[in-house]
């Protein structure tokens, strides 16, 4: 169940096209970004959203606020201080030791209360496991609209949030409005928005808000937390170089050609959705709208045809290189450099050539 | 024990095509399937039922043809299937969907017993929002466990459930109270093949069909398009990039030619790549 693809606007009925914001929502002002932290670490998607939020706030001529929720102490304070460096005009903070671990009940209460008290017009969250868990609960509590996984956020001429996201399995884009409810909520996946520049800024105004709960009010208990071992964690979303393979590899064994090239480049490897569906690759390595969004400096797509679902996940890359036998494959419409050839044959040669090119001193090292 | 599993019949999005000229969706002939993520939720529910006893009710909201997916769920071994179908539900966004489903689950509670657990997949492959599970939980006042990789313990006497929940940086082991809503991650279990007896039963089984009125919807304006705060204003094809890929002529040494083209375009990449490659 989800946002079922709907028909386009003209047919969509009475409230659809006209903005008739009820009186009690007119007090809702300002753009907010939920700053996601887990065990003292702010997720970078929060700063990416601050960059997007800044643009919206400037266009609306309102303040940009960060919402920092976490335990009392240094980590939460520093998340607030960092928010100013990424453009926050002010920070709403709920600091309580009951918020040390993410739990849906306490975080939903904290965020819902701050929204009801200070009334933002727009509220943005990262489309992470935490952000989606929280956003769904908060939006339902507030009975407002929530647009998931946006790829573009803008403000239209009458000040409404225009949230664009892929639809129909990624084959088309649609722009979604929440005209008659507030706040207008949206989630954005990590790496969809560029990371804004960090500025050194003095700490600004922090408005603290109480959580208003005791431990007994929170039913769910965290029994333990097992952090991912570094070796097991793929850094795909934040990698500088990514090599990925698609159905053009022909067989699951050939996926190792992608991994070998990635190893030589010090890169992360990934795959397209059909590969995951065939069981040749795992979903944590899937690149595209339903997988990871990437923004590397170099992206090499081997045997990937380039459905829009994939395009959405990679178009933030600085340089896209496509290798495909089909000259008419859609990937050549958005790649920067293309080579019409069989990836299975080219990849070993490419790996060898890169190895030779990138380690010119290897002979010197052996000699010494 | 009673478990309600919410599933959705979705178009097999891998097979949707866009008309090359008109840029409209060509839906004719696209097969429908049970949302693949929901199958892991269904399997998790069936395993718990097999272990603890009780019943599994499968619920979906959709057009009358969504009956196919329910019948499929019955072949896997679900005990009962409920189809919520009414033109008033058409065009629902996630908020309106959760209103309808929560209402139906209340009705299921009165008719067949209150569920101890409600399961959904982590998200659908057509909407991809992951919002409906948390929305149903909020509407029904249930506790929620999303992105569950494993249900590690269920205590029906103490009314507690322990589950491993995937987070960005690791796995949380959580304990919460029943009734609870769980959204299951993919690849968490091996989906069973339907038994012959279940297939025969499913073919003959009656499917419970409820209209909005049957399900006890009190406010029709909270359903479908009218009940949806989000409004799709525009659907469009992504703009084509003005410049197409510069194609490298694959001559004698295509690999070398490709590397030359990459470094010519991004001269700083060579030193950066050398550093990355050495660091590896």
């Amino acid at each position: 169940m989800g946002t079922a693809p709907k028909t386009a606007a003209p047919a969509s009925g009475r409230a659809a096209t006209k903005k008739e914001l009820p009186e009690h929502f007119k007090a809702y002002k300002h753009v907010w970004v939920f700053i996601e932290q887990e065990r003292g670490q702010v997720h970078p998607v929060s700063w990416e959203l601050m960059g997007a939020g800044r643009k919206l706030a400037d266009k609306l001529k309102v303040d940009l606020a960060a919402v920092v929720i976490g335990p009392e102490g240094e980590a939460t304070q520093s998340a607030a201080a960092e928010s100013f460096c990424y453009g926050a005009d002010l920070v709403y903070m709920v600091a309580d030791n009951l918020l040390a671990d993410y739990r849906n009940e306490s975080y939903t209460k904290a965020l819902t209360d701050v929204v009801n008290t200070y009334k933002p017009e727009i509220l943005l969250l990262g489309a992470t496991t935490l952000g989606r868990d929280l956003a769904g609960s908060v939006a339902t509590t507030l009975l407002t609209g929530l647009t998931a996984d946006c790829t573009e956020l803008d403000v239209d001429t009458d000040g409404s949030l225009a949230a664009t996201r892929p639809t129909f399995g990624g084959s088309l884009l649609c722009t979604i409005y929440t005209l008659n409810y507030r706040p207008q909520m949206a989630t954005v996946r990590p790496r969809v928005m560029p990371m804004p520049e960090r500025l050194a800024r003095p700490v600004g105004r922090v408005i603290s808000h109480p959580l208003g709960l005791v431990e007994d009010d929170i039913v769910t208990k965290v029994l333990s937390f097992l952090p991912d071992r570094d070796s097991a964690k793929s850094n795909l979303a934040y990698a500088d170089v990514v090599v990925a393979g698609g159905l053009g590899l022909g067989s699951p064994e050939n996926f190792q050609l992608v991994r070998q090239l990635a190893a030589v480049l010090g890169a992360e490897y990934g795959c397209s959705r059909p590969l995951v569906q065939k069981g040749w690759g795992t979903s944590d390595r899937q690149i595209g709208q339903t997988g990871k969004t990437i923004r590397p400096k170099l992206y090499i797509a081997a045997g990937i045809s380039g459905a829009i679902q994939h395009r959405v996940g990679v178009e933030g890359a600085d340089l896209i290189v496509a290798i495909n036998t089909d000259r008419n494959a859609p990937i050549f419409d958005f790649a920067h450099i293309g080579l019409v050839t069989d990836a299975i044959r080219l990849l070993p040669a490419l790996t060898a050539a890169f190895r030779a090119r990138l380690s010119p001193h290897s002979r010197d090292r052996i000699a010494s | 024990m009673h478990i309600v599993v919410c599933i959705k019949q979705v178009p097999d999005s891998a097979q949707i095509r866009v008309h090359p000229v008109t840029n409209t969706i060509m839906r004719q002939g696209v097969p429908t399937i049970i949302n693949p993520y929901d199958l892991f939720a269904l399997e998790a529910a069936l395993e718990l039922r097999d272990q603890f006893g009780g019943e599994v009710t499968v619920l979906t909201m959709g057009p009358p043809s969504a009956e196919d997916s329910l019948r499929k769920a019955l072949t896997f071994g679900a005990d009962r299937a409920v189809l919520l179908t009414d033109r008033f539900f058409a065009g629902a966004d996630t908020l309106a969907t959760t209103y309808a489903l929560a209402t139906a689950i209340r009705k299921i509670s009165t008719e067949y017993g209150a569920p101890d657990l409600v399961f959904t997949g982590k998200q659908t492959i057509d909407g991809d929002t992951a919002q409906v599970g948390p929305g149903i939980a909020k509407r029904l006042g249930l506790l929620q466990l999303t992105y569950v990789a494993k249900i590690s313990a269920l205590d029906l006497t103490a009314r507690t459930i322990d589950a491993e929940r995937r987070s960005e940086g690791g796995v949380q082991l959580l304990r919460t109270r029943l009734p609870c809503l769980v959204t299951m991650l993919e690849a968490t279990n091996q989906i069973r093949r339907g038994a012959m007896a279940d297939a025969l039963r499913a073919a003959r089984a009656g499917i419970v069909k409820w209209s909005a009125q049957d399900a006890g919807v009190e406010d029709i304006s909270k359903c479908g398009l009218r009940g949806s705060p989000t409004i799709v204003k525009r659907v469009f094809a992504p703009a084509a990039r003005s410049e197409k890929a510069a194609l490298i002529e694959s001559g004698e040494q295509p690999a070398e030619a490709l590397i030359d083209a990459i470094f010519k375009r991004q001269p700083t990449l060579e030193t950066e790549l050398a550093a990355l490659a050495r660091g590896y």
Side-chain angles (χ1 to χ4, degrees):
Chain A
M1 284 149 287
T3 307
K6 292 182 275 186
T7 48
S12 58
R14 47 173 195 105
T17 45
K18 203 161 171 223
K19 183 170 175 173
E20 300 163 46
L21 193 62
E23 202 58 38
H24 64 282
F25 282 139
K26 288 187 178 157
Y28 284 65
K29 286 260 165 7
H30 309 301
V31 177
W32 287 15
V33 173
F34 170 72
I35 305 299
E36 170 175 337
Q37 53 164 339
E38 186 180 49
R39 306 181 82 79
Q41 293 279 92
V42 174
H43 195 294
V45 71
S46 306
W47 309 138
E48 294 160 16
L49 285 175
M50 287 295 286
R54 185 73 262 169
K55 288 188 189 128
L56 299 177
D58 288 349
K59 226 167 169 175
L60 289 165
K61 298 187 175 62
V62 298
D63 284 345
L64 172 67
V67 187
V68 176
I69 298 176
E72 292 164 43
E74 202 185 317
T76 303
Q77 295 295 338
S78 97
E82 277 295 287
S83 301
F84 293 110
C85 297
Y86 286 103
D89 295 306
L90 74 162
V91 169
Y92 295 100
M93 189 196 285
V94 186
D96 191 305
N97 286 335
L98 299 182
L99 299 162
D101 285 290
Y102 173 75
R103 286 181 286 177
N104 176 271
E105 298 157 76
S106 46
Y107 272 67
T108 299
K109 163 102 167 61
L111 186 53
T112 307
D113 283 358
V114 185
V115 166
N116 280 332
T117 310
Y118 298 100
K119 306 188 189 321
E121 191 170 9
I122 293 171
L123 172 58
L124 308 177
L125 298 93
T128 58
T129 55
L130 191 163
R132 288 179 179 218
D133 184 275
L134 180 61
S137 299
V138 171
T140 312
T141 309
L142 297 167
L143 298 175
T144 190
L146 168 58
T147 306
D149 295 355
C150 301
T151 51
E152 215 180 305
L153 296 171
D154 201 359
V155 168
D156 81 353
T157 43
D158 72 349
S160 303
L161 177 68
T164 298
R165 75 181 304 262
T167 183
F168 293 110
S171 43
L172 291 174
L173 297 169
C174 61
T175 302
I176 295 178
Y177 284 69
T178 299
L179 292 182
N180 303 320
Y181 301 84
R182 290 294 180 268
Q184 305 162 91
M185 290 179 63
T187 63
V188 178
R189 294 144 51 93
R191 297 300 260 163
V192 168
M193 304 289 171
M195 179 66 86
E197 205 182 321
R198 182 186 182 280
L199 304 165
R201 281 193 54 187
V203 171
R205 189 156 63 107
V206 176
I207 297 169
S208 288
H209 196 83
L211 174 63
L213 287 177
V214 293
E215 180 59 42
D216 284 351
D217 297 331
I218 310 170
V219 174
T220 304
K221 308 296 175 196
V222 180
L223 302 181
S224 67
F225 183 83
L226 291 159
D228 289 326
R229 282 174 297 123
D230 281 344
S231 58
K233 201 163 80 181
S234 105
N235 187 34
L236 198 51
Y238 289 87
D240 282 334
V241 182
V242 173
V243 185
L247 278 184
L249 293 176
S251 78
E253 293 74 36
N254 285 332
F255 194 53
Q256 63 168 331
L257 302 176
V258 166
R259 295 172 63 159
Q260 283 159 359
L261 175 56
V264 162
L265 292 174
E268 289 284 347
Y269 64 90
C271 59
S272 62
R273 180 157 91 179
L275 242 62
V276 177
Q277 285 175 341
K278 277 187 174 277
W280 301 2
T282 55
S283 62
D284 62 321
R285 295 279 173 183
Q286 185 187 327
I287 298 168
Q289 172 64 13
T290 36
K292 298 259 184 349
T293 300
I294 59 172
R295 291 184 91 83
K297 291 175 179 165
L298 172 64
Y299 174 53
I300 300 176
I304 292 177
S305 64
I308 173 67
Q309 193 275 344
H310 189 75
R311 174 179 174 169
V312 165
V314 304
E315 63 189 351
D318 292 342
L319 183 62
I320 300 172
V321 175
I323 305 158
N324 203 301
T325 47
D326 178 7
R327 176 174 297 273
N328 297 315
I331 191 133
F332 292 120
D333 293 339
F334 58 92
H336 302 96
I337 298 175
L339 190 57
V340 182
T341 191
D342 190 346
I344 304 166
R345 280 208 310 238
L346 183 76
L347 282 172
L350 196 57
T351 304
F354 262 123
R355 184 184 285 127
R357 186 87 173 237
L358 294 176
S359 46
H361 308 300
S362 57
R363 265 168 298 165
D364 304 347
R365 278 208 300 271
I366 293 163
S368 65
Chain B
M1 184 175 55
H2 186 198
I3 305 176
V4 172
V5 183
C6 299
I7 65 170
K8 186 182 185 188
Q9 179 164 297
V10 296
D12 190 348
S13 64
Q15 303 196 38
I16 289 186
R17 295 282 174 272
V18 179
H19 193 281
V21 178
T22 59
N23 272 327
T24 52
I25 294 286
M26 301 194 292
R27 269 181 275 202
Q28 281 84 2
V30 176
T32 54
I33 51 173
I34 297 180
N35 173 45
Y37 295 124
D38 297 345
L39 294 177
F40 299 104
L42 176 60
E43 178 61 33
L46 293 172
E47 284 172 11
L48 288 176
R49 180 206 57 189
D50 293 348
Q51 195 184 341
F52 293 91
E55 286 188 325
V56 170
T57 300
V58 188
L59 167 67
T60 196
M61 180 176 97
S65 60
E67 185 180 326
D68 296 346
S69 287
L70 289 173
R71 218 167 274 285
K72 180 84 185 159
L74 290 173
T75 67
F76 284 120
D79 300 281
R80 181 185 300 112
V82 176
L83 173 61
L84 189 59
T85 187
D86 198 310
R87 63 187 174 84
F88 288 111
F89 297 134
D93 73 355
T94 51
L95 193 76
T97 300
T98 62
Y99 175 76
L101 287 173
T103 304
I105 292 171
R106 277 197 204 96
K107 174 80 173 181
I108 287 171
S109 299
T110 2
E111 297 279 317
Y112 310 111
D116 303 283
L117 287 160
V118 177
F119 275 90
T120 75
K122 72 162 185 183
Q123 64 194 57
T124 58
I125 60 163
D126 60 346
D128 272 328
T129 68
Q131 288 165 12
V132 170
I136 294 171
K138 188 50 74 183
R139 296 263 191 197
L140 293 173
L142 303 179
L143 294 149
Q144 76 183 49
L145 298 168
T146 56
Y147 301 100
V148 167
K150 189 183 171 190
I151 291 166
S152 33
L154 183 68
D155 186 333
L156 291 173
T157 318
R159 306 284 297 157
T160 59
I161 178 172
D162 295 0
E164 290 176 14
R165 172 179 187 273
R166 173 120 289 276
S167 82
E168 293 297 308
V171 175
Q172 283 183 316
L173 180 59
L174 296 174
R175 173 171 296 168
T176 199
R177 201 183 295 149
L178 302 177
C180 163
L181 179 134
V182 176
T183 81
M184 290 300 292
L185 277 182
E186 69 277 9
T188 42
N189 46 32
Q190 192 67 44
I191 293 160
R192 67 188 63 193
R193 290 164 181 274
M196 183 59 84
D198 285 323
L200 291 172
R201 184 180 55 91
R204 291 191 306 262
I207 302 241
V208 179
K209 287 178 198 148
W210 286 340
S211 66
Q213 194 181 4
D214 298 335
V217 167
E218 282 171 3
D219 187 350
I220 206 75
S221 75
K222 290 182 180 166
C223 295
L225 196 60
R226 288 207 312 169
S228 299
T230 62
I231 286 145
V232 177
K233 267 232 172 161
R234 199 161 78 93
V235 178
F236 57 102
R241 186 123 96 194
S242 51
E243 128 201 64
K244 273 206 158 199
L247 292 185
I248 311 298
E249 291 311 317
S250 50
E252 292 283 295
Q253 294 194 302
E256 282 76 5
L258 181 58
I259 295 173
D260 284 341
I262 290 170
F263 291 154
K264 195 175 164 201
R265 187 137 181 158
Q266 304 272 49
T268 55
L269 258 181
E270 185 157 11
T271 39
E272 288 172 22
L273 282 181
L276 269 174
R278 267 197 298 278
Y280 203 77

